[in-house]
Amino acid sequence: MSTPSSGAHPGPLPAEVDVVVVGAGAAGMTAALAAGKRGLDTVLVEKSAYFGGSTARSGGGVWIPGNYALRDAGQADAPEQSKLYLDSIVGDDVPKGRRDTYIDRGPEVMDFIKAETPVRFTWVPDYADYHPEQPGGRPAGRSVEPIPLDARFLGEELDHLHPQYAKAPANLIVTQADFRKISLGLRTFRGPLTMLKVMVRRMVSLMLGRKMYAMGNALAIGLRKGLMDADVPIEYDTELTDLLIENGRVTGIKVLRGGVASTIRARRGVILGSGGFERNLELREKFQPQPTSVDWTTGSEFNTGGGLLAGIAAGGQTDLLDDAWWGPTIPLPSGPWFCLAERNLPGSIIVNQGGNRFMNEALPYVEAVHEIYKGEATGIPHVPAWMIIDQRYRNRYLFAGLSPRQPFPGRWYKFGTVKKASSLAGLATEIDVPAEALQATIERFNAFAVSGVDEDFHRGESAYDKYYSDPRVKPNPSLHVIDHGPFYAVKIVPGDLGTKGGLVTDGQARVLRPDGSVIPGLYAAGNVSSAVMGHTYAGPGATIGPALTFGYLAAEHIAEEAS
């Protein structure tokens, strides 16, 4: 990864400000912007040379019920329904007051971002909540995504945008709504039509000299422009090493930049928005289920838990350290591929090393990895698991960035990610699972595909299962027989978008001690804090939504205390 050469060290660090924010992801940038707009002298320090963090690498979806984009689309429902939904799926893992605050205040945060940045959101049609059949759940979904924007207004600062998760040609803009259609390849007219629109938009943008960005990039770029307009500086390459504590109150931070240690005092408060610890193998092995690896995460390479460790050292309580924003992941030579639509499309299953299915493969990604780790406890390894597909599936659908019919690259075979055989028995030998078990599993699944009812795991019954399915497949758009050789097995590991355990906070994002008391002057939002979603995931964007909301609420509380 190359480092931007311009603007990394614009001048000396400030000795004292009102508010210090740590981390230039969604939580940190929103917090810094909210503090700056409330007249507080604010500085944002960032460990790397980049802004955007894991948000810039994400789909950029935001799950905040009742926001203006949902209202504009006629999709806003009563707050009581959203609260009922979180009550039903999160339960007592997170205090109800904190959950309700999120629902009540979230729309206001979206209005603030609309007013103070160029980011605009739009509803993602029918992208269901992840548990739409639960009380309060919505099959039509509550997710919104950024409208693509032209980032030329950032000038050279655009060089500091965090590198993307998957490289794409300039101005090739695919939204979440587009991806759903494109993933079906040529199965519907919408797939090639959408891809044609994407290519035409790219050509027009190139001719006009635009620099178009979508998804998480668009959100990060818009927040950065808001900070520039509000004259809130980002100090890059400035790593938090500790918190300054005086008389029981957090009064600043200690940092390291260019090998030089410094202190920045905070008159009003410190807000941690420094991300999770997904890139810290020591912490993963200490707190998370095994096996684990820093090579399976798509989170920012700079998320090594510095803010979390500083908060613990200051006396902060922690929770959910054993959990993450999980997702079944394909380990490719170029890095992990977060496996989303591939699992839901008909004609695929996932088996353990006993050759047996063990879950509804189309489960929401957090729940799918929970099932993988539950399986590890049975004595039959589920890591790695194997996705089984046939040539028909491969001819029809996109797969990990490959077009339909495009052969798997030779390096994927060499790396051990993909195995191929002309028969299921041969494939079983390739992946070292019992041939009779795999054959029986496929036969049973094929019978379900014919009847349209998955009697074992109910795949295709949830509205979420159907989102990334094939409407041309009947009677169940998520099920199809696997019988057209050659056959393929693709390795699946328990990857993640980032960790979700961290410092316990209240409804104002104040960090709490184990006895429930507040650590004065210390706030946290985003993945450095314990997730308001508990052990589950409400819907697309339920990571970024809380990051924006509680970053904003932290700044608000500091401003109110100051006044």
Side-chain angles (χ1 to χ4, degrees), residues 217-262:
N217 279 331
L219 175 55
I221 288 166
L223 289 171
R224 184 68 188 98
K225 180 62 163 61
L227 290 172
M228 292 170 67
D229 292 345
D231 293 323
V232 175
I234 294 182
E235 298 288 352
Y236 293 110
D237 299 307
T238 304
E239 182 175 5
L240 171 73
T241 59
D242 205 355
L243 294 169
L244 184 64
I245 303 173
E246 297 172 322
N247 299 320
R249 180 182 179 86
V250 173
T251 57
I253 64 172
K254 299 178 182 179
V255 299
L256 192 65
R257 184 166 78 171
V260 178
S262 303

Side-chain angles (χ1 to χ4, degrees), residues 478-489:
S478 193
L479 305 179
H480 196 286
V481 295
I482 302 172
D483 63 358
H484 183 65
F487 301 93
Y488 303 90

Side-chain angles (χ1 to χ4, degrees), residues 334-382:
S334 58
W337 178 272
F338 198 79
C339 186
L340 188 59
E342 294 89 350
R343 295 181 293 113
N344 297 51
L345 290 166
S348 67
I349 61 170
I350 295 176
V351 301
N352 61 19
Q353 291 177 32
N356 299 307
R357 292 178 73 209
F358 55 92
M359 66 174 175
N360 168 7
E361 293 86 355
L363 280 173
Y365 32 92
V366 165
E367 317 304 345
V369 171
H370 284 163
E371 292 301 316
I372 290 176
Y373 276 127
K374 284 179 188 175
E376 281 290 294
T378 66
I380 299 175
H382 287 51

